[in-house]
Amino acid sequence: MADQQQSDTAPKWWSRPAAPQAEPEAEPEAGSTAAAPGAGPAPSQPDPDPAAESASPEPGAAAVPRYDPWGEQPLQVADRGKAAGGGHLVRMRHALALGLGIALLAGGVGGWLGVLAERQSSTRLELPQAGVESKNRAPESVAGIAATALPGVVTLHVRGSAGSGTGTGFVLDGQGHILTNNHVVSDAKDITVTFSTGESVTAELVGRDSGYDLAVVKVDGVRGLQPLSLGNSENVKVGDPVVAIGAPFDLSNTVTAGIISATGRPITAGGDKGDGSDISYVDALQTDAPINPGNSGGPLLDAKARVIGINSAIRGADKGDSDKQSGSIGLGFAIPVNQGKRVAEELIRTGRATHPVIGVTLDMEYTGDGARVGTKGEGGKPAVTPDGPGAKAGIQGGDVITKVDGVRVHGGDELVIKIRAHRPGDPLTLTVLRDGRERTLQLVLGSANGS
């Protein structure tokens, strides 16, 4: 009875499910034991084991899994049925997966094709570019001026006792005469002229003049010479465009451009000998076209490719300033072509040039405004040459010359420059200060041989 009571009092959620009911059987035969209705099991018969029943079902009964809440894990029941609409959902999922796969495949193929196309196109990359155009330029343009003038410009390589150097020159005529600066060839023993075509020939010195810093050399046996046209420096105005051609630092056929910055700039150059015999006096054209060592003797051209000046000097940076270079700072000076033409003609004819003079000795120590005539000349001679141009005009020792043709002069060097800007025989009007009074004198320039 103890077992029976425990079974009755156990909670329902703990009880095991009963085995499936079997079909009613035939009544037991006589002699067999059976429990009476409502009576407990016979003492000799133990409770049937549910596990055994589950393990050994009766014939024809379906096997049912046993639920054991104390097992390692609850019994899992799989629902193998199909919910309503489940097939449609599955098909949608399959379609979505298929579409995603196709998209990934298409993207991969497209990317690969793009990389392949880029690689193929990079081998024949071609950037946009202007087509070939005519190289002709307007004659008045810098390129047009350079094209006209370059065949007539030469580079001079000079070797002398003091070393070698480079300068520039330009062809004057078909006979082979070339004009350059005196300081380019003053110490020359060998002169080589190189044309813009690259042809080089030996040249000979025809004549030179240190007072004007001009010289003429000559080449022989050269065909096809192209002389440059000469302009008129009297026509030059401040602001006119100009082009300079030369060989700065031995860079042949270098073209630079600028304007005329000023006219009538009195400059002196040279003076290395100390006795004044190599000083050049120039009433120069000033330009901002870059001019550097090696440009000396090259042409300064106007807008019609005509020579209006001979590049001669520059104002460089101060030598004492180590932070500055000695190249161009935009202050270049050229000998006016009118002066160069006259000197070149004389050098070709006679090998020497003449200088206009007024026949007086100047007091170069005078520090006042103007150019003072000395009281004594060299070797005790009179400061005013007897019967000279100055004496005939009425100049006296001690006079201070303040103007030449109405243009003020501030010192002896400026007076020499203004006079040398003229030809021998040219008339001049001088303004002279004497005893505190100004006098106007008329003078005709004389002539003296240069060095």
Side-chain angles (χ1 to χ4, degrees):
M1 294 298 291
D3 292 342
Q4 179 73 30
Q5 291 175 353
Q6 288 177 356
S7 297
D8 293 340
T9 60
K12 292 182 178 180
W13 58 266
W14 184 80
S15 62
R16 293 173 181 160
Q21 295 293 327
E23 294 289 336
E25 296 181 0
E27 293 183 2
E29 296 178 0
S32 63
T33 59
S44 59
Q45 285 290 336
D47 290 336
D49 186 358
E53 294 178 359
S54 176
S56 301
E58 293 181 4
V64 177
R66 191 183 69 179
Y67 176 74
D68 186 359
W70 301 107
E72 293 183 0
Q73 61 182 1
L75 181 65
Q76 302 296 321
V77 178
D79 183 3
R80 302 183 183 278
K82 296 182 179 180
H88 177 66
L89 180 60
V90 170
R91 286 193 297 271
M92 288 182 64
R93 289 177 180 174
H94 289 173
L96 180 61
L98 180 61
L100 181 60
I102 293 174
L104 292 175
L105 179 62
V109 173
W112 178 77
L113 291 176
V115 172
L116 181 61
E118 181 179 357
R119 289 178 178 177
Q120 292 178 347
S121 63
S122 64
T123 60
R124 55 179 183 275
L125 176 65
E126 185 173 348
L127 297 175
Q129 182 183 24
V132 178
E133 300 176 350
S134 172
K135 293 185 179 180
N136 296 328
R137 296 292 184 270
E140 65 275 9
S141 67
V142 174
I145 295 169
T148 301
L150 275 171
V153 181
V154 302
T155 301
L156 284 75
H157 293 92
V158 179
R159 189 161 55 88
S161 58
S164 59
T166 303
T168 308
F170 60 91
V171 179
L172 290 172
D173 55 29
Q175 299 177 13
H177 292 107
I178 295 170
L179 183 62
T180 186
N181 282 144
N182 172 69
H183 71 262
V184 172
V185 298
S186 60
D187 189 43
K189 292 185 177 180
D190 296 307
I191 304 173
T192 301
V193 171
T194 302
F195 292 85
S196 60
T197 58
E199 180 184 4
S200 296
V201 296
T202 301
E204 295 182 355
L205 180 64
V206 174
R208 62 187 185 88
D209 186 271
S210 61
Y212 289 113
D213 193 22
L214 291 171
V216 173
V217 300
K218 187 175 184 295
V219 295
D220 292 319
V222 179
R223 297 181 179 181
L225 293 174
Q226 298 188 36
L228 297 189
S229 300
L230 303 183
N232 192 323
S233 50
E234 293 294 329
N235 298 330
V236 175
K237 298 296 181 183
V238 173
D240 283 349
V242 291
V243 172
I245 301 179
F249 300 101
D250 204 14
L251 298 172
S252 302
N253 305 320
T254 295
V255 178
T256 58
I259 62 169
I260 293 294
S261 303
T263 60
R265 289 293 196 201
I267 65 168
T268 59
D272 296 332
K273 294 183 179 180
D275 58 0
S277 61
D278 61 337
I279 296 178
S280 59
Y281 300 87
V282 180
D283 201 28
L285 302 174
Q286 180 183 329
T287 179
D288 67 347
I291 296 174
N292 290 284
N295 276 98
S296 295
L300 186 67
L301 305 160
D302 65 10
K304 296 183 179 180
R306 300 175 301 193
V307 180
I308 57 171
I310 301 95
N311 300 319
S312 180
I314 63 171
R315 173 68 169 88
D318 295 336
K319 295 182 179 180
D321 192 342
S322 59
D323 294 335
K324 296 181 180 179
Q325 297 180 350
S326 58
S328 172
I329 59 173
L331 294 174
F333 302 95
I335 302 168
V337 71
N338 290 14
Q339 183 172 315
K341 176 179 178 296
R342 179 183 70 82
V343 173
E345 290 170 346
E346 292 184 348
L347 292 175
I348 292 172
R349 285 198 304 264
T350 67
R352 300 178 68 88
T354 59
H355 297 172
V357 295
I358 61 175
V360 303
T361 301
L362 298 177
D363 180 6
M364 303 304 290
E365 302 297 327
Y366 179 69
T367 57
D369 193 39
R372 185 170 182 260
V373 179
T375 56
K376 290 184 179 180
E378 295 181 1
K381 296 180 179 179
V384 179
T385 304
D387 292 331
K392 293 179 179 180
I395 297 176
Q396 299 179 7
D399 286 349
V400 177
I401 302 173
T402 59
K403 295 179 183 179
V404 176
D405 285 340
V407 178
R408 181 169 291 279
V409 294
H410 302 284
D413 288 342
E414 285 193 32
L415 178 62
V416 175
I417 291 169
K418 294 300 181 184
I419 291 173
R420 288 194 179 178
H422 295 78
R423 297 171 177 266
D426 286 348
L428 290 182
T429 300
L430 302 180
T431 301
V432 175
L433 183 63
R434 181 189 303 164
D435 297 331
R437 295 178 58 187
E438 282 190 349
R439 300 171 184 265
T440 301
L441 305 178
Q442 302 297 324
L443 180 145
V444 176
L445 293 172
S447 177
N449 289 329
S451 58

